[in-house]
Amino acid sequence: MPPPPSAPAVHHLRLWWRRRGRAGAVGATFSVAFLAAALLLTLSYYASAPPATSSSSSGRSPALVGLTLVRGAEEKGALCLDGSAPGYHLQRGSGGGSRSWLIHLEGGGWCRNLRSCASRQKSMLGSSHYMERQIEFAGILSDDESQNPDFFNWNKVKIRYCDGASFSGNVKDELKNGTRFFFRGQLILEAAMNELLLKGLGQAKQAFLTGCSAGGLATYIHCDAFRALLPEDSRVKCLSDGGFFLDVEDISRKRTIRSFYNDVVLLQDLRQRFLDCDSNLEPGQCFFPREVVKNIVTPVFVLNPAYDAWQVQHVLAPQSSDPQHSWLDCRLDISKCSPNQLEILQGFRKEMLDAISELKQKSDWGMYINSCFVHCQSLNSFTWHSPSSPRINNKLLVL
């Protein structure tokens, strides 16, 4: 069983990152942090808080980092959904961080059928033709030491997401119902990593794979493969932000997200990626972190809100399961939830804590589970490291 909600936060990201050792290391400590269950107070605050600005707490504007398209993408078969070359943004490190690398996998949901994938082909989530040529690096990607004290001077990379299946597909057939689709997420990630290895990642002393949302799920899926790319004596860890999606019933007692994942797995033939997954499970179940994490060896830090806003809106109370719109206000503003809805949210929180408590056996893993009504916290200066950042017993994530 997980510790009670009021248990003290004994460790956090900085301490966890600095711990050396791999799985099975003697004396490694599993760090767990749970925020006191002041549900309405805490969630109301973050639901009503003003939108986070892109500027850091120091007043500096985030750095603008240019887009690099993967070279030779077509010959490598590493293509976005529409057949365009994938891309990434690289900001070089300096000083003591010149041989340290942080790789971030972009998120952005998934497409479950040809219609939704076709729609993504006309957006930055399916084509590099629509990607911004420059983006801001904030939060864990910031080069501002006051905002990002542990990683500000590292080499930092954001790999753009344009395959619709958490960088996991590898389907050779391109023609579907008369339209060309490229389900090549696995090849995209491999091509980008190989290019970065030549740019210095291959000589990294330490490296950190991170990701948000669908990129957080990709972080779980690819963590060990990332470790295998790097020198044996390098220190390698992973952080998944808002990527622990739950296989739970929604408010209408349907498994909406499982059905969605079944479609994604079947469309992009992902079952072959999860050969260790129980064959008696439905295809989509193998795509959930609860199953993926069972075989991960590399240390992982789990950053997740117990009341993940995206999951409340799309997993617990999706519009398709709320024809009377009784959850419309609650799903957008937690302070407007009825007592019954709050009770259901508490049940969702318990499902999250029960699922994550299974990771206690992984002694060199860590986690920071707070009660904020948000989704993804590492890329936002407001939630990552600012005077208003989430606190657990007065402890910040990065301090």
Side-chain angles (χ1 to χ4, degrees):
M1 294 292 291
S6 59
V10 295
H11 288 291
H12 42 289
L13 182 57
R14 176 178 291 178
L15 295 179
W16 174 82
W17 173 258
R18 290 177 177 172
R19 289 186 179 277
R20 306 195 70 87
R22 300 288 306 283
V26 177
T29 301
F30 180 78
S31 61
V32 184
F34 295 114
L35 186 62
L39 171 62
L40 187 57
L41 176 63
T42 305
L43 298 191
S44 296
Y45 171 74
Y46 281 99
S48 60
T53 61
S54 59
S55 60
S56 69
S57 58
S58 68
R60 286 181 49 191
S61 296
L64 289 173
V65 183
L67 176 68
T68 299
L69 297 181
V70 173
R71 298 180 62 182
E74 186 170 0
E75 301 89 81
K76 298 169 184 174
L79 300 169
C80 296
L81 285 170
D82 71 332
S84 60
Y88 59 86
H89 302 260
L90 166 61
Q91 183 183 64
R92 288 289 187 177
S94 62
S98 59
R99 292 188 63 187
S100 299
W101 287 74
L102 189 151
I103 312 293
H104 182 87
L105 305 180
E106 185 180 35
W110 313 268
C111 55
R112 68 188 302 180
N113 51 44
L114 296 182
R115 181 179 179 181
S116 59
C117 290
S119 178
R120 290 171 77 100
Q121 286 182 327
K122 300 176 182 179
S123 77
M124 64 182 182
L125 292 173
S127 171
S128 60
H129 296 315
Y130 297 91
M131 293 177 184
E132 311 94 316
R133 265 35 199 176
Q134 289 185 318
I135 62 170
E136 294 182 345
F137 269 20
I140 198 171
L141 294 176
S142 174
D143 63 353
D144 183 346
E145 184 175 6
S146 67
Q147 182 190 351
N148 191 27
D150 292 308
F151 311 112
F152 73 97
N153 63 347
W154 285 31
N155 297 282
K156 295 181 290 291
V157 182
K158 182 171 184 176
I159 299 180
R160 302 304 296 267
Y161 178 42
C162 64
D163 67 278
S166 290
F167 297 93
S168 295
N170 185 7
V171 180
K172 293 182 180 180
D173 185 21
E174 301 171 4
L175 197 62
K176 307 286 185 181
N177 291 355
T179 302
R180 298 178 77 195
F181 291 90
F182 297 86
F183 299 134
R184 307 284 178 78
Q186 175 70 38
L187 297 181
I188 289 173
L189 190 57
E190 289 176 0
M193 288 297 184
N194 287 335
E195 199 161 297
L196 293 170
L197 288 171
L198 297 176
K199 293 186 176 184
L201 177 61
Q203 289 75 49
K205 288 186 176 180
Q206 51 185 356
F208 204 12
L209 180 67
T210 77
C212 159
S213 191
L217 173 56
T219 300
Y220 291 121
I221 293 171
H222 299 288
C223 184
D224 281 343
F226 178 68
R227 161 69 266 186
L229 292 174
L230 299 164
E232 291 186 8
D233 61 351
S234 60
R235 181 164 52 148
V236 181
K237 298 186 179 184
C238 303
L239 179 150
S240 174
D241 177 10
F244 207 96
F245 298 95
L246 295 181
D247 181 12
V248 296
E249 291 183 345
D250 64 23
I251 55 174
S252 66
R253 307 299 296 271
K254 298 177 182 177
R255 298 270 179 177
T256 299
I257 188 64
R258 184 192 294 182
S259 175
F260 188 99
Y261 275 3
N262 280 338
D263 290 346
V264 174
V265 170
L266 292 173
L267 179 65
Q268 298 215 23
D269 193 22
L270 302 184
R271 190 60 189 259
Q272 60 182 334
R273 279 205 53 83
F274 308 109
L275 298 178
D276 293 329
C277 185
D278 188 342
S279 60
N280 294 317
L281 297 178
E282 294 181 37
Q285 288 180 272
C286 299
F287 203 48
F288 283 98
R290 194 167 189 169
E291 294 299 322
V292 175
V293 299
K294 291 179 179 179
N295 299 304
I296 300 176
V297 176
T298 308
V300 177
F301 195 92
V302 180
L303 171 59
N304 234 92
Y307 308 92
D308 185 290
W310 190 91
Q311 293 197 63
V312 169
Q313 295 164 6
H314 299 279
V315 177
L316 179 64
Q319 292 183 5
S320 61
S321 296
D322 184 30
Q324 303 303 318
H325 306 296
S326 60
W327 276 76
L328 180 61
D329 291 336
C330 174
R331 66 200 295 271
L332 297 178
D333 184 348
I334 206 75
S335 67
K336 296 180 180 179
C337 294
S338 68
N340 181 62
Q341 289 169 333
L342 287 176
E343 185 177 350
I344 293 173
L345 286 173
Q346 287 283 29
F348 180 83
R349 170 187 176 276
K350 184 179 184 302
E351 291 273 7
M352 175 70 74
L353 298 185
D354 286 348
I356 291 179
S357 71
E358 296 177 6
L359 304 179
K360 290 172 66 175
Q361 61 182 320
K362 295 178 178 287
S363 60
D364 50 2
W365 284 39
M367 58 177 70
Y368 191 94
I369 311 299
N370 55 41
S371 292
C372 303
F373 188 61
V374 295
H375 179 60
C376 290
Q377 301 172 77
S378 64
L379 293 182
N380 190 319
S381 60
F382 179 75
T383 49
W384 178 247
H385 186 35
S386 76
S388 300
S389 294
R391 296 172 185 268
I392 296 179
N393 288 339
N394 207 34
K395 295 181 184 295
L396 294 171
L397 175 62
V398 297
L399 284 179

